[in-house]
């Protein structure tokens, strides 16, 4: 008698997580230590940290920003992130002020055990960032980290459907979204739509806390989240409170772009009718 064999297809699942923290302005080493503490409590294949997670957000002057900005990948923040990636055999996406030539960009890096994988310089600058940072001069990047292709946005980029769409068209299955959100509820909504309209996973890592260094008070809104390709929120952080949260996803779900049997959300596009003004 021939024994019946049950073949179970093994799907390589991926553990993705956000780290929601309250950075202390200018205390780079202390903020890095805090993130390292939170990361040590769980295991993920991909961690996403907030925008400007080690420096804080509200720079009073361009000089103050220049002093806290670092070259990438030579600077201490990128080096520490790479060391963390090696220790935990994972990839990390995180925001930092990048000094390059005489400019400072509001950048994000994707690092892994082998070092810097890709950098991104925030294209859509928000509010007073326009007075401090140079606008990004690189295309929205997608990199293969083994279990999935990961694309990068930073904070206010969430408002521009073209940004997430350009990542999806390049094959991104997970969009990593470091953020310092101050307008309650907006990105939690738009990132669900970005996930749904592109059939990708999104991981938004926001910060919490208050900064009032310039006469204006900024309250950061928390509610970091991981969203599935159908727009469902898989996990969400509180509005206030530090937290590192991981969820297991199947990146293959983001490779199927079907909304119905007859609708593929990327193949159904009709760019010839979108007009030159969309460009
Ligand atoms: C933002 O782009 N930091 C809102």
């Amino acid at each position: 008698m021939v024994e019946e064999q049950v073949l179970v297809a093994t799907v390589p699942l991926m553990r993705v997580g956000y780290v929601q923290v309250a950075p202390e302005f200018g205390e780079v080493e202390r903020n890095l230590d805090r993130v390292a503490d939170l990361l040590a409590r769980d295991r993920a294949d991909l961690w996403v940290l907030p925008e400007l997670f080690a420096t804080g957000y509200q720079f009073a002057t361009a000089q103050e920003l220049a002093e806290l900005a670092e070259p990438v990948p030579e600077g201490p923040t990128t080096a520490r992130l790479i060391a963390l990636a090696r220790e935990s055999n994972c990839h990390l996406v995180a925001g930092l002020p990048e000094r390059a030539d005489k400019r400072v960009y509001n950048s994000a890096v994707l690092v892994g055990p082998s070092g810097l994988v890709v950098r991104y310089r925030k294209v859509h600058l928000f509010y007073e960032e326009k007075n401090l940072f140079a606008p990004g001069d690189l295309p929205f990047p997608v990199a293969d980290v083994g279990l999935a292709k990961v694309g990068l946005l930073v904070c206010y980029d969430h408002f521009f459907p073209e940004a997430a769409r350009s990542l999806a068209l390049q094959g991104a299955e997970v969009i990593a979204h470091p953020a310092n959100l101050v307008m309650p509820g907006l990105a939690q909504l738009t990132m669900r739509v970005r996930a749904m309209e592109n059939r990708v996973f999104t991981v938004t890592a926001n910060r919490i806390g208050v900064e009032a260094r310039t006469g204006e008070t900024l309250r950061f809104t928390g509610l970091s989240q991981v969203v599935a390709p159908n727009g469902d929120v898989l996990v969400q952080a509180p509005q206030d409170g530090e937290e590192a949260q991981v969820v297991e996803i199947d990146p293959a779900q983001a490779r199927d772009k079907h909304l119905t049997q007859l609708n593929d959300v990327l193949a159904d596009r009709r760019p010839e009718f979108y007009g030159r003004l969309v460009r």
Side-chain angles (χ1 to χ4, degrees):
M1 195 174 125
V2 180
E3 262 182 48
E4 211 175 295
Q5 278 194 335
V6 181
L7 293 176
V8 181
T10 51
V11 182
L13 297 178
M14 180 178 189
R15 292 174 64 79
V16 299
Y18 57 72
V19 181
Q20 176 168 298
V21 277
E24 282 180 61
F25 188 89
E27 299 295 334
V28 172
E29 217 172 301
R30 203 179 306 168
N31 294 329
L32 279 161
D33 287 343
R34 178 69 185 137
V35 164
D37 278 352
L38 286 166
L39 290 185
R41 296 182 194 175
D42 207 342
R43 198 198 70 73
D45 300 298
L46 175 70
W47 284 110
V48 184
L49 278 46
E51 178 183 15
L52 301 167
F53 80 99
T55 55
Y57 181 79
Q58 200 183 32
F59 302 93
T61 62
Q63 162 127 7
E64 187 175 67
L65 171 61
E67 281 164 14
L68 284 163
E70 301 180 16
V72 171
E74 300 83 7
T77 297
T78 310
R80 182 76 183 274
L81 291 168
I82 292 169
L84 288 169
R86 283 192 184 132
E87 270 165 42
S88 307
N89 190 30
C90 67
H91 284 81
L92 294 130
V93 173
L96 79 168
E98 178 195 0
R99 192 169 59 235
D101 302 322
K102 291 204 162 53
R103 295 175 167 202
V104 180
Y105 298 95
N106 185 346
S107 293
V109 290
L110 166 57
V111 304
S114 60
L116 177 70
V117 178
V118 80
R119 89 184 69 203
Y120 165 64
R121 295 168 171 166
K122 187 174 184 179
V123 164
H124 303 104
L125 295 175
F126 181 72
Y127 195 44
E128 305 233 349
E129 291 171 29
K130 293 187 174 198
N131 299 324
L132 292 161
F133 292 96
D137 52 5
L138 302 172
F140 292 96
V142 175
D144 195 335
V145 301
L147 288 171
K149 292 192 180 127
V150 176
L152 271 56
L153 299 179
V154 172
C155 206
Y156 178 52
D157 288 329
H158 74 88
F159 238 87
F160 302 85
E162 299 90 340
R165 175 53 53 87
S166 86
L167 295 175
L169 289 171
Q170 294 175 74
E173 291 141 3
V174 178
I175 293 181
H177 179 221
N180 272 193
L181 298 158
V182 291
M183 300 180 77
L186 298 188
Q188 286 76 14
L189 176 63
T190 58
M191 289 308 284
R192 289 187 66 185
V193 178
R194 301 290 94 85
M196 190 176 62
E197 68 198 359
N198 292 295
R199 311 299 287 182
V200 295
F201 292 92
T202 65
V203 185
T204 296
N206 192 18
R207 62 162 287 180
I208 55 165
V210 176
E211 288 186 4
R213 310 186 64 257
T214 63
E216 183 164 21
T217 301
L218 296 179
R219 287 175 204 286
F220 300 94
T221 55
L223 297 171
S224 299
Q225 65 185 18
V226 179
V227 181
N230 64 359
D232 283 353
V233 177
L234 298 176
V235 62
Q236 190 171 62
Q239 209 168 340
D240 220 339
E242 293 189 316
E243 177 176 284
Q245 226 2 292
V246 177
V247 65
E248 205 161 74
I249 63 165
D250 176 4
Q253 284 178 8
R255 282 169 219 144
D256 178 3
K257 300 299 180 189
H258 283 95
L259 187 61
T260 72
Q261 277 182 320
L262 299 180
N263 292 102
D264 173 310
V265 296
L266 293 190
D268 283 349
R269 296 172 66 244
R270 305 286 308 278
E272 65 272 35
F273 293 106
Y274 300 161
R276 279 185 299 120
L277 291 178
V278 175
R279 293 186 53 83

